[in-house]
């Protein structure tokens, strides 16, 4: 009777180890995707916004191709930056 319990216990431990490894791999992949698809573009837009708010007109534009919210944000921000540049030129 002890042998079937040991086999069942070993199978259970193996299953849990595999489950933890798969969960860890999925967690790392999702974190990498989040970092490269969301956090990095938002940081770039934030840095450009900071430079524009300090009056730096030579800052490069940031255009992210795509149909997601980050690309929509980058397009809207570039329009705002150009409008601000045009308004400042009209005031001079």
């Amino acid at each position: 009777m002890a042998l079937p319990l040991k086999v069942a216990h070993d199978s259970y431990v193996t299953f849990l180890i595999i489950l933890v490894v798969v969960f860890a791999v999925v967690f790392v992949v999702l974190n990498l995707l989040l970092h490269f698809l969301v956090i990095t573009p938002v940081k770039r837009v934030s840095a450009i916004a900071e430079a524009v708010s300090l009056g730096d007109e030579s800052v490069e534009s940031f255009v992210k191709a795509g149909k997601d919210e980050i690309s929509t944000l980058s397009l809207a921000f570039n329009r705002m930056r150009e409008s601000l540049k045009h308004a400042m030129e009209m005031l001079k």
Side-chain angles (χ1 to χ4, degrees), residues 65-77:
K67 302 245 184 232
D68 59 351
E69 289 81 6
I70 303 296
S71 61
T72 304
L73 174 67
S74 72
L75 291 173
F77 180 76

Side-chain angles (χ1 to χ4, degrees), residues 13-77:
V13 170
T14 304
F15 174 74
L16 284 180
I17 291 172
I18 291 171
L19 189 66
V20 167
V21 168
V22 167
F23 179 74
V25 168
V26 168
F27 182 76
V28 168
V29 168
L30 287 177
N31 273 333
L32 289 173
L33 287 173
L34 180 69
H35 177 74
F36 288 113
L37 296 177
V38 176
I39 294 172
T40 301
V42 169
K43 281 185 177 180
R44 284 191 62 197
V45 170
S46 175
I48 294 170
E50 180 73 21
V52 168
S53 73
L54 294 174
D56 185 8
E57 294 180 3
S58 65
V59 68
E60 78 281 354
S61 62
F62 173 66
V63 177
K64 183 177 181 304
K67 302 245 184 232
D68 59 351
E69 289 81 6
I70 303 296
S71 61
T72 304
L73 174 67
S74 72
L75 291 173
F77 180 76

